Amino acid sequence: MATLKEKISAWSYGSGSSASAAAVASPVGVAQPQSMPPAALAAAASAPAAVAGSAGVTMPAAPAVSGTYYALKTRLHQSLIAKIDLAAAETMPPDQLRTQLREVLLGLIADEAIPMNEHERRSLVSDLQNEVLGLGPLEPLLADPDISEIMVNGYDTVFVEKRGRIERVPIRFNDDMHLLKIIDKIVSRVGRRVDESSPMVDARLPDGSRVNAIIAPVALDGPALSIRRFAVKPLKMLDLIERRTLTPGMAELLAGMVKAKTNILISGGTGSGKTTLLNILSSYIPEHERIITIEDTAELQMQQSHVVRLETRPANSEGRGEISMRSLVKNSLRMRPDRIVLGEVRGGEVIDMLQAMNTGHDGSLTTVHANTPRDALGRLENLVGMGGVSLPVKPLRQQIASAINVIVQATRLSDGSRKITSIHEVTGMEGEVISTQEIFHFERSGVGADGAVLGRFKPTGIRPLLAERLKISGVNLAEELFNPLVFNE
């Protein structure tokens, strides 16, 4: 783990700023700082002018004269190293250290008589604090609770997803090297690396947010970074009901199915809310049960105390040391789990997961990428084949039909909203085909003037066969819940 001194002194704002920085840098107390042209300095000082984001978050605008602005930041950064007591800073709590940095930086700005108003001074100090202690230009975005995804398409192009809508934000990095520094800072925290020999990496932030980075030579237009935000306050079922993702009746049914230890497969596309729903459903697992979670990148926020979290590990630079999802699923069976929660099935681990569901580990939960419940069943078949197991079609489908009890389809609609568009019960086999019946579905009726998708949730009128199993487990569902004539959203 790098010390604070190493992290601060090794930092730069990109290769493009170094030459400019050298031209203007002068350590505090050694010589008088070189003067900058008034027009250039005014442009640099006004560069971080704030753009108001939602929830009161301030987002610095992209600098109009980036070279001069980053040279100014580098100059202050170098002066900071000479001023701050790094040994003492190592032992400070983060809030106290941030205050210390602020005081030192304000003093440096005053000493050098840099002309700027109070608002500009605060923005510049905040920028430098974020560079030293956080993730630089990304910090204001990470502080905005309404942003669910951050997409950096290049050092000067940043988009976010906010309330289901994708929009560009006035945030930028100095150049590719600056962006690479931020990426390296993220991945090194979790013991991973990204370079020419390994240009793609998955990682996570301390709050659990999922990170994917890809660099040259694979990324042709420069490094790209994607961050799937992790809610600081985990969403609950009531939040989904308020957002009209599903109805109270559907929520009651799903919660009852988890309590009755049914095996549930959540199906959906990218960004449809599969992991969020998995998190919420897992909260209904009784406190006394032992839960094993298995993920590629740890995201689940389990509320129970008896939880063991497992995470895969990629191979090292020599191609060794990989711990696959399948290995973890096999190992979990020796850990006496009551429930196995698998973040996503995407390979040969589906075989071991199906076997676990069929051999006493009822109530397991997982997700899969698919557009419909029927597609989800087909994808499970394909994944078994990818695992190197060759089974006749009928025995394979029998294995799937007896393992999976319910398929929940999550969909991200054209207006950015997320809905549970279908709940299917797997009822068994008819000949060589897996038979299912739909219990609930979302019926679309059009698009409103504001682009919002119109529609309503409706039961199909079929009472699930699992209703008796739920009743035995102490979950009593009203008959009206499945009657389309009396159903009330």
Side-chain angles (χ1 to χ4, degrees):
M1 181 72 69
T3 65
L4 179 64
K5 182 173 183 178
E6 290 170 338
K7 287 189 285 188
I8 291 179
S9 59
W11 194 257
S12 71
Y13 303 100
S15 56
S17 65
S18 57
S20 312
V24 297
S26 59
V28 173
V30 175
Q32 284 293 105
Q34 295 181 4
S35 61
M36 298 172 66
L41 188 54
S46 62
V51 175
S54 64
V57 177
T58 300
M59 296 186 185
V65 186
S66 62
T68 305
Y69 176 64
Y70 284 101
L72 175 62
K73 285 176 67 177
T74 303
R75 173 183 174 182
L76 290 173
H77 193 162
Q78 291 170 340
S79 298
L80 176 66
I81 297 170
K83 278 277 189 181
I84 195 168
D85 184 348
L86 292 170
E90 287 283 356
T91 63
M92 287 184 188
D95 289 344
Q96 186 180 346
L97 179 56
R98 181 172 285 271
T99 302
Q100 173 86 0
L101 290 175
R102 178 180 178 277
E103 292 173 356
V104 174
L105 287 167
L106 286 174
L108 291 173
I109 293 172
D111 290 345
E112 300 196 17
I114 299 173
M116 58 179 69
N117 61 38
E118 180 62 26
H119 175 71
E120 293 164 346
R121 185 160 43 249
R122 284 200 309 266
S123 296
L124 180 58
V125 169
S126 178
D127 239 6
L128 282 159
Q129 287 174 316
N130 289 338
E131 295 287 359
V132 173
L133 301 176
L135 299 179
L138 296 178
E139 284 296 316
L141 304 180
L142 293 170
D144 188 340
D146 291 329
I147 292 177
S148 56
E149 190 114 19
I150 301 171
M151 296 155 279
V152 182
N153 296 353
Y155 74 90
D156 59 351
T157 308
V158 181
F159 288 84
V160 300
E161 181 185 72
K162 184 181 291 189
R163 302 186 190 92
R165 301 279 187 175
I166 294 177
E167 58 189 61
R168 187 169 181 174
V169 291
I171 296 290
R172 58 160 290 169
F173 299 81
N174 186 37
D175 55 18
D176 286 344
M177 288 302 297
H178 186 197
L179 177 53
L180 279 170
K181 283 280 188 181
I182 295 292
I183 291 173
D184 185 63
K185 194 172 185 179
I186 293 171
V187 303
S188 61
R189 286 175 175 173
V190 291
R192 300 193 177 182
R193 64 187 181 87
V194 59
D195 51 39
E196 280 193 13
S197 63
S198 180
M200 298 179 292
V201 66
D202 287 314
R204 66 178 183 275
L205 298 180
D207 67 356
S209 296
R210 183 195 305 173
V211 178
N212 176 268
I214 184 165
I215 67 171
V218 180
L220 301 181
D221 299 320
L225 177 68
S226 302
I227 301 176
R228 178 74 57 83
R229 293 293 308 284
F230 207 59
V232 176
K233 181 182 178 183
L235 292 178
K236 300 185 181 299
M237 189 66 83
L238 183 60
D239 297 311
L240 297 191
I241 294 171
E242 290 175 348
R243 298 179 186 194
R244 292 187 56 77
T245 299
L246 75 174
T247 67
M250 294 166 67
E252 183 184 359
L253 174 63
L254 291 176
M257 287 178 170
V258 174
K259 293 173 183 176
K261 302 195 75 169
T262 61
N263 295 324
I264 299 176
L265 175 67
I266 301 171
S267 167
T270 300
S272 60
K274 299 188 301 297
T275 303
T276 298
L277 182 60
L278 181 64
N279 237 333
I280 292 171
L281 292 183
S282 67
S283 68
Y284 292 101
I285 298 174
E287 176 69 27
H288 66 271
E289 295 188 14
R290 178 174 170 84
I291 306 167
I292 310 292
T293 70
I294 305 170
E295 303 172 83
D296 272 329
T297 303
E299 294 179 278
L300 295 173
Q301 295 173 299
M302 307 300 289
Q303 307 302 308
Q304 297 82 352
S305 59
H306 200 171
V307 178
V308 178
R309 302 168 69 220
L310 306 178
E311 184 180 54
T312 62
R313 187 178 74 183
N316 60 20
S317 57
E318 299 174 349
R320 299 176 181 174
E322 179 183 10
I323 306 296
S324 67
M325 183 80 79
R326 187 170 186 182
S327 299
L328 292 178
V329 174
K330 286 181 178 178
N331 189 79
S332 71
L333 300 179
R334 305 184 184 100
M335 299 173 68
R336 200 249 174 242
D338 289 307
R339 310 260 190 155
I340 298 174
V341 180
L342 191 60
E344 182 182 342
V345 288
R346 60 179 70 178
E349 68 274 2
V350 68
I351 303 165
D352 303 284
M353 188 66 190
L354 291 173
Q355 289 177 344
M357 290 176 170
N358 276 319
T359 54
H361 297 91
D362 292 335
S364 297
L365 308 169
T366 189
T367 74
V368 70
H369 270 80
N371 294 324
T372 67
R374 181 56 62 179
D375 287 347
L377 294 172
R379 180 152 169 76
L380 292 181
E381 291 184 41
N382 293 335
L383 291 176
V384 170
M386 290 171 59
V389 175
S390 179
L391 286 176
V393 172
K394 188 171 182 179
L396 173 57
R397 290 178 179 173
Q398 286 175 333
Q399 179 93 331
I400 294 172
S402 67
I404 305 296
N405 302 126
V406 178
I407 303 172
V408 181
Q409 184 67 38
T411 305
R412 183 177 184 273
L413 303 180
S414 58
D415 61 355
S417 64
R418 294 168 173 84
K419 306 284 187 187
I420 303 303
T421 53
S422 183
I423 298 177
H424 268 66
E425 179 186 26
V426 178
T427 56
M429 295 283 294
E430 292 183 2
E432 293 192 357
V433 178
I434 299 174
S435 60
T436 66
Q437 57 185 16
E438 190 172 37
I439 310 302
F440 282 95
H441 72 281
F442 179 72
E443 187 178 80
R444 305 186 200 189
S445 57
V447 178
D450 59 352
V453 174
L454 305 177
R456 64 187 296 258
F457 297 98
K458 290 182 64 177
T460 59
I462 298 173
R463 182 177 175 81
L465 300 178
L466 286 169
E468 291 304 315
R469 177 172 174 177
L470 268 62
K471 186 176 181 180
I472 293 171
S473 301
V475 179
N476 295 302
L477 301 174
E479 291 292 335
E480 293 79 12
L481 181 63
F482 308 105
N483 189 339
L485 299 178
V486 297
F487 177 73
N488 187 1
E489 292 191 50

